[in-house]
Every structure is written in C-alpha cells, then in structure tokens.
Amino acid sequence: MSESKALSFHVPAPAVRPGGTPDFSDVKISSAGEVERPPVDVAPEKIREHAFKIIRVLDRNSQAVGPWAGLLSDAELLEGLRHMMTLRAFDARMQMAQRQGKTSFYMQHMGEEAVSCAFRKALEKGDMNFPTYRQAGLLIADGYPMLDMMNQIYSNELDPMKGRQLPVMYSSREHGFFSISGNLATQYIQAVGWAMASAIKGDSRIAAGWIGDGSTAESDFHAALVFASTYKAPVVLNIVNNQWAISTFQGIARGGSGTFAARGLGFGIPALRVDGNDYPAVHAVAKWAVERARRNLGPTLVEYVTYRVGAHSTSDDPSAYRPKTESDGWPLGDPVLRLKNHLILRGVWSEERHKQAEAEIMSEVIAVQKEAETHGTLHTGPHPSARDMFEGVFEEMPPHLRRQRQQGGV
Amino acid sequence: MPRKTMVEAIRDAMDVCMKRDDNVVVFGEDVGYFGGVFRCTQGLQQKYGSNRVFDTPINESGIVGAAVGMAAYGLRPCVEIQFADYMYPAYDQIVSEAARLRYRSNGQFIAPIVVRMPTGGGIFGGQTHSQSPEALFTHVSGLKTVVPSNPYDAKGLLISAIEDNDPVIFLEPKRLYNGPFDGHHERPVTPWARHALGEVPDGHYTVPLGKAAIRREGSAVTVLAYGTMVYVAEAAAEETSIDAEIIDLRTLLPYDLDTIVASVKKTGRCVVVHEATLTSGYGAELSALVQENCFYNLEAPVMRVTGWDTPYPHAQEWDYFPGPARVGRALKAVMEA
Ligand SMILES: Cc1ncc(C[n+]2csc(CCOP(=O)(O)OP(=O)(O)O)c2C)c(N)n1
C-alpha cells in the first residue's frame, strides 16, 4: 500500500509584482563572444547547448567580440541604428496620435527594435516574413513607406487595407510582409507552408515565421514545428521572448522547459538563443539561420531574448502587473543605446551626431504624419468608402452580398 | 460515356487539375502512398510524385495552415481532412485565415485552396464519422461551400473549386461514394454504374459554383435538398405520389436564390431537408430566404426535415437519419396545411 499525500497545484508566478524590486537574477546571461559559431550544416544534436546560452556580440564596454562579430560594415551598422531610431520615433508619434484620438489603437516596439530591424537585413528580396503585430521594423528596414503605415493606422482614404483592418495589421507582398492576423500563432504554420511551396517549386526563396513567447503555447506553434521538421522546410522560426504576454509572465507559457529555444530540440530543429537587444548579434544569427534555409539544410528555431519595455498596447497598463521600473533593471539594456555606444567606440558616431539624427528623424516622421493626416484620421477627414466594406470578401461579389450592399444604401 | 463512382470522379477531377496546372498540390493524412482511406487520391502520388501528392502529420490545423501559406506563395492546394468530423482543429485556420485573407490584405494575398472532407451519415459512423458541419462554413464570410450528390457533379464541381480563386469547402457525402442512397438501408445499394449521373466525361469540364440543379420537376411542392438527401427526397416523392419539385442545391454558398424562388413561386409550398441537426442549421437560412422572397406565394409554412438536435448516435442510426418515411410525412403535411 503506497501512502498518498494530498496533491498540490502549481501555478508559476513572476519573481516580482508591482511595488517589488525588479529582479532578473534568474536570467542566465552568457558573456559576449562566449558562444561558439558552428558551421551552418552542423548536426542539430551537436549544438544543443545553443538552445540554453545567449549569443552576444556587444560587450559591456560596447566592443564587438567573439565569433559572431564583424559581419557588418560601419555603414550597415549606422543604417541599422537609423532604422531602430526611426521605428522608435514612429512609435512615439503613433502612440501619441492614439492618445489624441486620431486612431483607436496602437502597439509599440520599445526595447525590441533590434529584432525586426536587424533580421530584415539578413533576408533577400523575395523572401517572405509571416510577422506578428510587433515587427514593424521589418517594414522600416526594407524601406516600406512610412506614409502607408500611417495611412493604415489612421484608416484614412489612402489606407492600403481600405479601413478593414485594426491599426498596425499591415500587409505588403512587395516588401515580403505577410498580412497580419489578429489570431495569434496562425501565421507560424503558414510560414512553414510558404517555405514548403518554395521547396516544391525548386525556388531559392525562404520564409520566416514570427511568434511571441506567450503565443508559443498555441497549437499552431506545435503544428509549425512538426511540419517544418518533417519536410525540412526552408524557414526560420523566430520566437521573440520579451518576457511578457500582456500581463502574463513568460513562465506561464514556458513551464518547466529551460528555454523557448529548447522546444526545437525535440523536433530535431537546431535552436539558438540570441541577445535580442544586440543588433549585430541578431543580424549574425539571422544570417546563419537564413543561410541554412537557403542551402536547403532545413529550419532553424531562434529565440530572441529581449524585454517589452512599453505597455502591451494602448489598451494596456503594465503597472497593474509588474514593477514600474522593471525595464530599467533589464540586464540586456537598450538596443538603440548599445549600438549607438558601439558606433561611438568605433569612431564613426558621436553623442552630437546622435542628437542631431534623433531630431532629424523625428521631424521626418512628423512631416510624414502631417501628410498622412491630410488624408484623414479615424474620426475626421476622408476615409474609405462604405462600398469598400463589401469588396474583396470574394474575388467576385456574389449576389447575396450585392443585395446587402444595396440594402446598405451604398 | 465512361461510368465512374463518386470516388473515381473525385480522383479524376484532381488528376485533370494536376495535369493542367503544376501549381495544384494534394496532401492530407494517408492521401499519398496509400491513396486515401476512401481511395480518392489513389495512384496520384505515383503519377505526379511526392512533391505534389504527399502524406502529412496528423494535424488538421497544420494541413490547412500550410495550405494557406502555400496559396500565399502561389500554389493551389487541394487538401483532405479525413472526416468532416475532424475539421475542428483546422477551424481557426479556415475561418480566421483562409476565409479572410483576401479581405484583410485587400487582395494582396489570396487563399485559392480547396478543403475536401467526407461528410454525412448513414454508414454507422457514430458520433465522429457522420457529422454534417456545413452550417459552420456557410456562416463564415469569405468561404464557398459545396456539396455534390453524384459523380458527374462531383467532378465538375471539384474542378471548378480547384480553379476558383477563393477558398472552397468541398463536402463529399461518403454514403454516396459508391452509389446513390435513398435512405432504404434495408435494400441493396445500386452502384453508380446503373445511374445516369454516373456517366462522367473524360478530361476537363466544369459545373459552375453557385448554380442549383432541378432533379425532378414538379408542381405541388418544392423540396430543397443537397447531398444524400436528394435521393431520399426522390424516394419520398415517389412513395407519396406527391408531385414534388426537387432542387439539388449543389453549392450552399453562394446559393442559387433565383432557382429556389422561381420554384417556390410556382409550387407555393416548400420543404427543406438535410442530415445536419435542426437548430441554426443551413435549413434555417433556406427557410428564412423562402419566407422573405416568396411570402405572398406561400400556401403553407415552410417545413424542415433534418437530423435531431443530438450528437449523431450509433445504434439509433435509422431513427436519426431523416429517411424517406419522415420526408414523406412532411410532404403530406405541407400539402394538407
Ligand atoms: C488566438 C488568440 N488568443 C488571444 C488573443 C489576445 N491577445 C492578443 S496579444 C496577446 C498576448 C501575446 O503575447 P506574446 O505572444 O508574448 O507577444 P507580445 O505581445 O509580447 O509581443 C493576447 C493574449 C489573440 N489575439 N488571439
């Protein structure tokens, strides 16, 4: 007869709540340059440790060190800095526009700018991203017109989505940016399908899937990993671990697993973790994974370790669930500052030039914003027609919809 | 003309489309090497290679999700869900993604996919091999929903579906795979070889989506049916000697309102039949449409004969399935009303 005790129920909780002192002592940070850079055709089982360490290039003294360093020229790094600064300025203006009632909703990237901006530069024209709502850097780094982004956010007469989509749910086939869905994780398996199609056709283009830490718990995360593994699809599967899913700390999605990257190991998918606030590191790891895919070596899982500095969205108030100053304690710092300091150390940038660039970029963003507003904002000025609402449900409007449009009087 | 079963006609449709268009790919659980649990894809992998016809992991969301991604790339996936009863894990991908992709991206990305799934009861399939979930698709903006009732239509409609640039749910009444079935389960099945609609031309032809077919002309009452219930309605008309006009809807969305309205205006009476459960079923939509469009021509309330509002049972199959006796009673009732 075995003696049985009462069971107890386990619900993970973050180390600190509002009022507490931020504590990231449980985040194990590898030092810059420490993690080895394997050949792209490495067998997944040889790099299991990469799923637990953190690949980093920029060290505490802003030096670029180790085997993942040195892939980008000064000009490329300066361009990267500009992209991140542009995204930050864009966020600031759109956040404010929402507060001013010019749109209903916005989601910012504060603290995560390096992830999408650096990743885009590892891709080629024709590759396809399947992003979430927090990778607008993919568009900015690819030169997608900011005006179109704002028009979408304002749902104005020039909104490329004709006012049908919630703000920030962009879409641009031309810029390799798949239409964003409100339903989490659905795009992850679609990215795998796109990559399978490219392989079926003997193409050379690859796909990238994107997901947040919280959304890895969705079934489609699993579906994507199974299909990617089975068919060795040319896809890079990105997990942006910003520690939070709205109010839910990452431990709720991660459970007992050491890291999110480690989820790839059971599928035989090589998995790497990278410092998401380290522009050159993100770029180097992205390049490695993209090259694997391009050389038909199959999928790679990449976890970007970062921190969601801002609120989840304009409808969220993080002070209700985490310490107000938590982001200050984040050990991986700020991606813009870190790259800025590195460029200063390299002698190609200065505090002055940074300030000047900040002002320049901001006035550029404001100028575009002014232009966008001449085409209307959500509640004022020109907007998409009610007729547009009935178009595009199908390729051709079926009779029942035509009747409804008539009833609607448009 | 060659005679084919519905299974052969469906396979032939995929064969024709794959031959004509390199972008057509076929996949699902057991559809590759083995050729499908109902043999609908038999021989296709051999003919077109595993690049274009292949087995998938058992993950319906994965099957449809991958198909959406492939369609965004430019392929035309025709995928199989082994039983309609197992489409629920894929429902998010169907409703939130495939159906809305064109709309939400303003046409930048489209999802020209076909999701084939065997549907309906009458085979002692119990709760999870008998369901008729069509109302869960017709309620979704952006989807087309098709239910063929015979080999000729099955091939022509499936070719139309594969060539259509919108996502199509293609429900195959598995009770009809080998022969028409009028609900008289005690009698032997007649094979398609002995039915006029078992004649299936070789090569390419289409049956347009959104067009109903009148299976039996009549003047007393209009019966709106699709799938297996077309034959049940025919038997009921025969056995009651009521001169029913039987319309096989073929496409549930977009529906063929003109054919429906013209018939009900002529007969003044209408019975709607389907296997699916009653409440909020597709019959409710049909009934409302008839009422809205033919109110002044109606001489009796529109009646519905459907499956009961219960899960599909096993032992009580023939008490559940709306057979010719139940449909016949409704025909009489509507004539006497
Ligand atoms: C299927 C689904 N469930 C719930 C939501 C509501 N929701 C929107 S964002 C979000 C949190 C996602 O967190 P994470 O994946 O970590 O991404 P992050 O917002 O941190 O970038 C939730 C629960 C949704 N959009 N879709």
Side-chain angles (χ1 to χ4, degrees), chain A residues 107 112 132-134 182-184 211-216 218 240 242 244-246 308 312, chain B residues 92:
Chain A
M107 300 178 97
E112 300 176 40
T132 79
Y133 45 73
R134 226 185 285 283
N183 296 62
L184 294 172
I211 204 164
D213 47 275
S215 305
T216 60
E218 290 282 0
V240 183
N242 64 13
W244 292 94
I246 310 185
R308 195 197 79 212
H312 169 72
Chain B
D92 189 28

Side-chain angles (χ1 to χ4, degrees), chain A residues 13-53:
Chain A
V16 201
R17 285 298 192 188
T21 312
D23 175 15
F24 288 106
S25 54
D26 60 329
V27 184
K28 283 197 202 71
I29 313 254
S30 317
S31 46
E34 175 196 314
V35 182
E36 132 199 40
R37 183 168 190 269
V40 291
D41 58 357
V42 68
E45 65 273 15
K46 290 252 170 69
I47 56 161
R48 294 179 66 87
E49 279 303 305
H50 281 69
F52 299 94
K53 296 175 177 167

Side-chain angles (χ1 to χ4, degrees), chain B residues 1-16 19 40 47 149-156 159 176-180 190-205 231:
Chain B
M1 208 182 290
R3 301 236 173 206
K4 286 187 166 66
T5 67
M6 200 136 142
V7 168
E8 290 163 340
I10 286 162
R11 184 192 307 147
D12 194 22
M14 286 185 270
D15 192 354
V16 164
K19 202 178 298 168
C40 288
K47 194 162 171 187
S149 70
N150 59 74
Y152 178 88
D153 281 357
K155 178 174 171 182
I159 293 175
L176 301 180
Y177 270 154
N178 295 311
T190 4
W192 281 116
R194 276 189 266 132
H195 194 282
L197 290 167
E199 286 192 353
V200 178
D202 287 329
H204 183 272
Y205 70 92
Y231 305 98

